[in-house]
Amino acid sequence: TVIGRYEGDYLLIAQGNVMWHVRAGRVVLATGAHERPLVFAGNDRPGIMLASAVSTYLRRFAVVPGREAVVATTGDSAYATAAELAAAGCRVRAVVDSRSDPPPADVPVIAGTTVVGTTGRCLESVLLSDGTEIDCDLLAVSGGWSPVLHLHDGDRLWDDGIAAFRPIDGLVAGAANGTFDLPGCITEGLQAGARAAGTPAPPAPDLPPEPIRPPHPVWLTPGDDTEQFVDFQRDATVADIRRAIGAGLRSVEHIKRYTTIGVGSDQGKTSWVNAMAVIAAELGVGPDEVGTPAFRPPYVPVPFALMAARERGDLHDPIRTTPMHSWHVAHGAVFEDVGQWRRPRHYPRPGEDMAAAVHRECLAARTGVAMQDVSTLGRIEVVGPDSPEFLNRVYTGGFAKLPVGKGRYGIMCAVDGMVFDDGVVLRLAPDHYLLSTTTGGAEKVLDWLEQWLQTEWTDLDVRCTSVTEQWAAVAVTGPDSGEVVARLAPDLGELGFLEFRDTALHNGIPARIARISFSGELAYEINVPSWYGLALWEDVGVTPYGTETMHVLRAEKGYVIVGQDTDGTVTPLDLGMPVSQRKDFIGKRSLSRADTARADREQLVGLLTEDPAELLPEGARLAGGIGHVTSSYRSPILGRTIALALVRSGRDRIGERLGVSLDDREVPVRVHEPVFYDPGGVRRDGRR
């Protein structure tokens, strides 16, 4: 069963315990029609069934649902049910036809009338509009047929000839198109299939015509409207519709939500045309003016497990890897998952544990040169004449006056003023920027940008495009990094901090090289098209380092990682980072609230244990509940442990002695500036 049809003819098909995802070139709808019940008082009594359901019992299961039957109809189709009941030995007391000119039949027919009521706990008799009462234990009803349009994505039109909506565009055949005779259905199927395939239609079979007499629909009948059920699954009645209209509702979508008609698992298959007709009659308008509501997938109920799919190892959750991944595997990297990315955590040599490997990698970056695969950082191109203004509103700092060829570190805030993400922004042209984001934050940042552009600032001419997968990047870090980059890109020339230049490497590979440092050392970021990533990595050829070493290097400089040193309750001011006072930005107003402006907020500081070998556990609380440890590492270059923490009034506590509460003891610590190494920042420019 096709349970959903989406843009571009993308179909979901449920088959047993498999969900098929199909992108179709053409779709032919031959989904048939649903028979409608009749609306009258007591129409939910046991013993009342759709005529087509009675036929199914007789034909498929050889079950006769009653001994004495009445068939109530507005059209021709129920006469077949009456004949089948009679052939099965059931006494057909009458066919009650709303039309004044019914077709000939071998059973009694009462024309020009309809059922208006029933009696009995289970059905005992039916009451007709002409005052007749007929004893029976089965009432087969047929209020007409509604083409199944749940999967039709085009326009539809009310057709009085079938008393239902029918499609007016698309490839639709048979009863779904409002055609109810067999020769017509076959002919339309052949024609629609041929159009879909782009071939001539084969000749239709020579079948005798089946004239279909037009129906005479009955939408409203006299009687208690609280017992006239329109939606049997939701127990919604004509009285509910009248109550909704009396409350001032006119839209079919509003009345749907007020009455809950059509919101059950059947999605209004048998109820909505009746409900629409009652609404139209009450409002005094035509059915076309009321229309039908949107039908929601799935078309039939399916288990949630089917939509969630099965866990199938690596296919259960996508794993993203960089172009250098094969090299990392071949050289024994130990990986960690960051977002959906698999990143090298460290590269142990024979006999090394993680601590030894990280110690060696840190010293290589601090005293010589090392490299890291940073292809996982999110990259978003922001293009358009209004992009400078847009970024000015998104970031806490200014970007409209950033010169082309330079970059700037930026922080994004949520509307509550809390840190949302951070990264370096490069200006490629007056109307063209390249944003970098945290590895785990790329998707949410792109979604955030699109939300503001599409819902709040629709007047801005800006386009955002994710280009993360288009680039591979290597960070070359350390006091000797300049020599490595000069070898790789002899035509680059000098670069100032946060400057970048497009160039070609010595082997002709196009590259964009920027002076960016997340370690405090002289460092470069070399970006190449992703298919050159492995070649670049092998060409750099120095000591590789992983994410654990990167964490140590940045913590030594007091650089924060959003999501580790922040938790959704931290503002840029808490981190000691200034924000622009000359422009507005998302979250700025929230920074002036009493809570975010108070002096005793938790602020980022460093912690040094009295015992240099004592490593504080991340997340540990400070005594008195005044803060907690966010990052904690062993620093090879300092020869001791260090930690970053968020501490209440932290900047006023620099030099103060505090305690960190562990399970069995309290560890004495001294509050330190968040920068532990090279506080003057001279190493960033290659000076030692």
Side-chain angles (χ1 to χ4, degrees):
T1 300
V2 177
I3 64 168
R5 180 184 183 185
Y6 304 90
E7 184 178 359
D9 282 337
Y10 173 52
L11 308 176
L12 292 183
I13 306 176
Q15 181 185 20
N17 62 353
V18 176
M19 179 75 81
W20 294 96
H21 297 247
V22 176
R23 184 76 70 175
R26 298 285 189 277
V27 172
V28 177
L29 289 185
T31 45
H34 292 138
E35 192 172 30
R36 300 190 296 264
L38 289 170
V39 179
F40 53 85
N43 62 341
D44 68 333
R45 203 177 304 278
I48 303 174
M49 302 173 62
L50 285 173
S52 58
V54 171
S55 292
T56 298
Y57 272 101
L58 292 168
R59 297 174 187 169
R60 188 176 301 173
F61 304 111
V63 172
V64 181
R67 295 180 178 87
E68 294 194 342
V70 171
V71 178
T73 185
T74 62
D76 286 352
S77 62
Y79 281 82
T81 302
E84 291 163 356
L85 282 168
C90 176
R91 180 186 178 191
V92 179
R93 300 293 304 274
V95 174
V96 179
D97 195 329
S98 62
R99 298 171 296 181
S100 59
D101 55 344
D106 295 330
V107 295
V109 176
I110 303 176
T113 187
T114 188
V115 176
V116 295
T118 59
T119 65
R121 180 177 179 86
C122 293
L123 182 66
E124 295 178 357
S125 67
V126 299
L127 307 175
L128 306 185
S129 58
D130 63 1
T132 304
E133 182 174 358
I134 305 175
D135 294 336
C136 61
D137 60 0
L138 173 65
L139 173 60
V141 299
S142 178
W145 293 84
S146 304
V148 176
L149 302 178
H150 292 64
L151 300 176
H152 182 252
D153 58 357
D155 293 326
R156 55 197 66 168
L157 178 70
W158 178 261
D159 186 340
D160 283 322
I162 61 172
F165 284 96
R166 69 189 308 164
I168 59 175
D169 52 14
L171 295 174
V172 190
N177 198 37
T179 301
F180 297 118
D181 64 297
L182 180 60
C185 288
I186 293 176
T187 299
E188 285 186 359
L190 293 172
Q191 292 174 346
R195 288 201 306 273
T199 61
D206 186 15
L207 295 174
E210 296 180 1
I212 302 295
R213 300 161 63 88
H216 179 73
V218 178
W219 308 119
L220 286 171
T221 58
D224 186 353
D225 61 4
T226 64
E227 295 184 0
Q228 298 182 18
F229 288 88
V230 177
D231 188 323
F232 294 95
Q233 191 178 70
R234 300 299 304 171
D235 280 348
T237 65
V238 171
D240 295 321
I241 294 176
R242 287 171 171 161
R243 190 177 302 112
I245 293 173
L249 303 181
R250 296 295 181 269
S251 165
V252 68
E253 295 286 359
H254 294 161
I255 295 174
K256 170 183 177 178
R257 285 152 178 80
Y258 189 99
T259 63
T260 73
I261 292 174
V263 304
S265 60
D266 69 332
Q267 282 293 293
K269 290 182 175 67
T270 62
S271 61
W272 254 114
V273 171
N274 282 341
M276 173 278 309
V278 173
I279 294 170
E282 291 296 312
L283 294 178
V285 299
D288 265 336
E289 296 181 59
V290 176
T292 60
F295 299 113
R296 312 293 184 188
Y299 172 70
V300 294
V302 294
F304 280 111
L306 183 63
M307 292 187 283
R310 294 173 293 165
E311 180 177 350
R312 297 185 60 191
D314 290 344
L315 298 180
H316 179 62
D317 186 27
I319 297 173
R320 303 173 73 182
T321 58
T322 72
M324 299 80 139
H325 185 72
S326 60
W327 190 98
H328 303 324
V329 172
H331 290 76
V334 175
F335 293 94
E336 69 171 337
D337 291 333
V338 183
Q340 289 184 330
W341 288 97
R342 186 143 293 173
R343 300 194 69 182
R345 191 175 186 186
H346 59 283
Y347 298 84
R349 291 178 178 175
E352 286 185 338
D353 59 9
M354 186 176 79
V358 171
H359 187 277
R360 172 179 50 80
E361 293 170 11
C362 286
L363 290 181
R366 289 290 185 211
T367 62
V369 63
M371 63 179 180
Q372 184 184 25
D373 181 356
V374 292
S375 308
T376 62
L377 294 177
R379 291 173 177 80
I380 302 170
E381 289 198 6
V382 178
V383 183
D386 296 321
S387 53
E389 172 63 21
F390 176 55
L391 294 187
N392 257 11
R393 299 180 187 182
V394 168
Y395 285 100
T396 61
F399 285 87
K401 297 181 180 179
L402 178 67
V404 173
K406 298 207 67 172
R408 180 168 294 159
Y409 173 74
I411 294 178
M412 294 183 187
C413 287
V415 292
D416 59 1
M418 306 304 163
V419 173
F420 179 70
D421 202 81
D422 70 340
V424 173
V425 178
L426 305 181
R427 191 167 194 176
L428 309 182
D431 62 348
H432 192 176
Y433 294 81
L434 179 65
L435 281 57
S436 69
T437 74
T438 56
T439 293
E443 293 178 1
K444 68 176 183 180
V445 169
L446 180 60
D447 184 65
W448 180 249
L449 300 179
E450 290 289 1
Q451 177 182 339
W452 286 91
L453 286 173
Q454 295 183 31
T455 64
E456 302 297 331
W457 301 327
T458 56
D459 57 315
L460 295 184
D461 185 0
V462 178
R463 296 177 303 282
C464 299
T465 306
S466 173
V467 294
T468 303
E469 300 282 0
Q470 278 64 50
W471 294 94
V474 178
V476 184
T477 302
D480 297 335
S481 60
E483 299 172 13
V484 174
V485 173
R487 170 178 61 83
L488 295 170
D491 298 331
L492 178 64
E494 292 294 326
L495 278 182
F497 182 60
L498 287 178
E499 288 183 350
F500 70 92
R501 192 169 300 143
D502 290 341
T503 186
L505 303 183
H506 66 93
N507 51 12
I509 294 176
R512 176 177 294 144
I513 302 179
R515 272 270 317 269
I516 298 173
S517 178
F518 196 48
S519 62
E521 298 291 338
L522 178 67
Y524 297 81
E525 186 179 287
I526 306 175
N527 296 267
V528 297
S530 57
W531 46 87
Y532 294 122
L534 180 58
L536 169 64
W537 180 261
E538 293 176 336
D539 202 9
V540 176
V542 298
T543 300
Y545 68 93
T547 56
E548 192 67 22
T549 292
M550 178 266 292
H551 281 292
V552 176
L553 298 177
R554 64 91 191 173
E556 291 169 344
K557 291 293 296 179
Y559 298 157
V560 301
I561 289 185
V562 174
Q564 178 166 333
D565 300 299
T566 69
D567 60 1
T569 66
V570 179
T571 72
L573 303 178
D574 298 334
L575 300 175
M577 297 179 179
V579 299
S580 175
Q581 302 299 321
R582 294 181 293 180
K583 70 176 185 69
D584 198 8
F585 56 85
I586 298 173
K588 181 176 182 179
R589 186 172 62 176
S590 295
L591 295 179
S592 62
R593 292 186 297 122
D595 179 67
T596 52
R598 58 186 170 86
D600 64 341
R601 287 182 58 83
E602 290 186 356
Q603 299 167 338
L604 184 73
V605 295
L607 297 179
L608 293 175
T609 55
E610 287 191 357
D611 179 0
E614 178 95 38
L615 183 67
L616 296 172
E618 293 179 349
R621 299 292 301 178
L622 274 75
I626 62 172
H628 67 282
V629 177
T630 62
S631 300
S632 181
Y633 309 100
R634 299 187 186 277
S635 169
I637 198 68
L638 297 174
R640 61 158 302 131
T641 61
I642 59 173
L644 295 175
L646 288 169
V647 178
R648 194 179 305 158
S649 303
R651 285 192 286 274
D652 293 333
R653 298 178 184 270
I654 301 297
E656 187 176 330
R657 294 187 178 276
L658 302 173
V660 174
S661 300
L662 302 184
D663 289 340
D664 56 347
R665 58 198 174 93
E666 186 174 289
V667 178
V669 297
R670 179 168 52 86
V671 182
H672 191 276
E673 294 284 350
V675 181
F676 299 98
Y677 180 69
D678 184 30
V682 298
R683 299 184 64 86
R684 186 198 70 187
D685 296 320
R687 299 192 295 275
R688 308 192 186 195

